Amino acid sequence: MTDKFSAAQFTAKTLSEALPYIQRYVGQIVVVKYGGHAMVDESLSAMFARDVVLLKTLGIHPVIVHGGGPQIGKLLDRLGIVSEFKGGLRVTDEATMEVVEMVLSGPINKSIVLSGSDGQLLQATKATKTERDPDSHIEQVLDLGFVGEPTGVDTSVIEALLQADSQLIPVVAPVAMGPDGHRFNVNADIAAGALAEALGASRLLLLTDVAGVLDKDKNLMRDIKVGTIPGLIEDGTAVGGMIPKLETAAHSVNHGVGAAVILDGRAPHALLMELFTEHGAGTLIS
């Protein structure tokens, strides 16, 4: 009885301490990029789903943008299609784009997910990205194929869904429609940032497979100011897929999102720890 009583007390104490944080987000929109290990591991996936439902039950409005990098990579390998990354983004030719759309708008999301190309929800043009040559130090333009850069977001579909059903949780696949009708593969972090800006989200949460942004000694950086992000990229602190995450976080914070957080999707209840505890669970960009 004593152990049960202690456990009950601990649960009650935890809920009581979380109350001020819950009140902070009631009625607010929180955009979550869901992907990586949290999306592949069945137990983490089920836990994530329960946590998102809890947020909704508490009166918070989560909007989910899902990735699918591991699934896309596996199918590309099975089909013998070579894929590469430049600047943290997957180069997407015609064959790769077919696989991307097959995965993101197919088996991952058929039951409850919108494609960003539905109803012009997410609009994009061909992305342009530059990279500094390590030898010549000259900026060179990278050809990423059918990788898209968001140019507009029509939030009417999501807003209508939220108003029509108080328990409905929008989930969006990061496939965007181009001006000529061609579909583009948009990095899920970037798509989540564009949605967060358009919806005026209180928080943008980017789940990844590391604890957050790590310094050169592999220590977690708890807080980062937007103005320091270019330096972190320039000096090599941020590399690979962390670059678009930080760039997206900076852009979203500069365009009306309350704050962005890069956090470890492998950690159980990462969303709840970030939103409802004093110190959060990842790297806060503000």
Side-chain angles (χ1 to χ4, degrees):
M1 289 293 291
T2 303
D3 289 342
K4 289 183 179 179
F5 184 64
S6 297
Q9 281 186 316
F10 178 78
T11 300
K13 180 174 182 291
T14 300
L15 290 171
S16 178
E17 290 175 348
L19 179 59
Y21 305 101
I22 294 172
Q23 291 174 320
R24 175 190 298 174
Y25 293 108
V26 168
Q28 301 295 310
I29 292 175
V30 174
V31 176
V32 183
K33 182 270 180 159
Y34 171 54
H37 195 72
M39 194 171 173
V40 176
D41 184 285
E42 289 187 8
S43 62
L44 286 175
S45 181
M47 191 179 298
F48 174 84
R50 288 195 300 271
D51 290 349
V52 169
V53 171
L54 175 60
L55 296 183
K56 191 69 175 180
T57 303
L58 291 171
I60 300 164
H61 303 301
V63 176
I64 314 301
V65 178
H66 76 75
Q71 294 91 334
I72 292 169
K74 285 182 180 179
L75 186 52
L76 288 171
D77 289 342
R78 284 172 53 191
L79 296 174
I81 299 174
V82 177
S83 179
E84 64 174 327
F85 286 81
K86 293 181 180 180
L89 302 174
R90 186 189 299 275
V91 178
T92 306
D93 58 14
E94 284 278 10
T96 304
M97 186 64 214
E98 289 183 14
V99 172
V100 167
E101 192 159 20
M102 187 187 307
V103 172
L104 295 183
S105 299
I108 284 182
N109 71 2
K110 272 306 170 193
S111 58
I112 56 171
V113 181
L114 296 165
S115 170
S117 60
D118 293 337
Q120 299 284 326
L121 169 59
L122 188 60
Q123 304 132 40
T125 57
K126 181 179 172 67
T128 57
K129 192 173 182 64
T130 61
E131 186 176 70
R132 188 182 298 276
D133 184 276
D135 298 320
S136 66
H137 302 290
I138 296 174
E139 292 283 340
Q140 53 187 0
V141 178
L142 302 177
D143 184 2
L144 302 174
F146 293 105
V147 172
E149 184 74 26
T151 56
V153 178
D154 185 345
T155 61
S156 59
V157 174
I158 292 178
E159 290 168 347
L161 291 174
L162 291 175
Q163 292 171 8
D165 186 342
S166 61
Q167 295 305 307
L168 192 146
I169 299 170
V171 184
V172 180
V175 176
M177 183 68 73
D180 60 354
H182 194 95
R183 288 173 172 80
F184 285 98
N185 174 26
V186 178
N187 174 275
D189 297 308
I190 296 173
L195 270 173
E197 292 175 26
L199 291 166
S202 175
R203 282 291 186 273
L204 168 64
L205 306 181
L206 304 176
L207 271 63
T208 184
D209 284 343
V210 294
V213 182
L214 306 179
D215 63 22
K216 290 190 174 182
D217 294 322
K218 305 302 180 185
N219 297 313
L220 177 65
M221 302 175 70
R222 288 284 183 183
D223 298 281
I224 293 177
K225 298 301 182 186
V226 166
T228 66
I229 288 177
L232 295 176
I233 296 172
E234 182 70 23
D235 70 11
T237 299
V239 296
M242 189 57 71
I243 294 174
K245 285 180 174 60
L246 280 173
E247 291 177 336
T248 294
H251 193 278
S252 65
V253 170
N254 283 333
H255 290 79
V257 176
V261 183
I262 299 172
L263 69 159
D264 193 348
R266 303 167 302 175
H269 304 298
L271 294 184
L272 304 186
M273 289 194 298
E274 172 54 40
L275 294 174
F276 300 150
T277 64
E278 181 179 357
H279 299 295
T283 300
L284 178 73
I285 293 94
S286 61

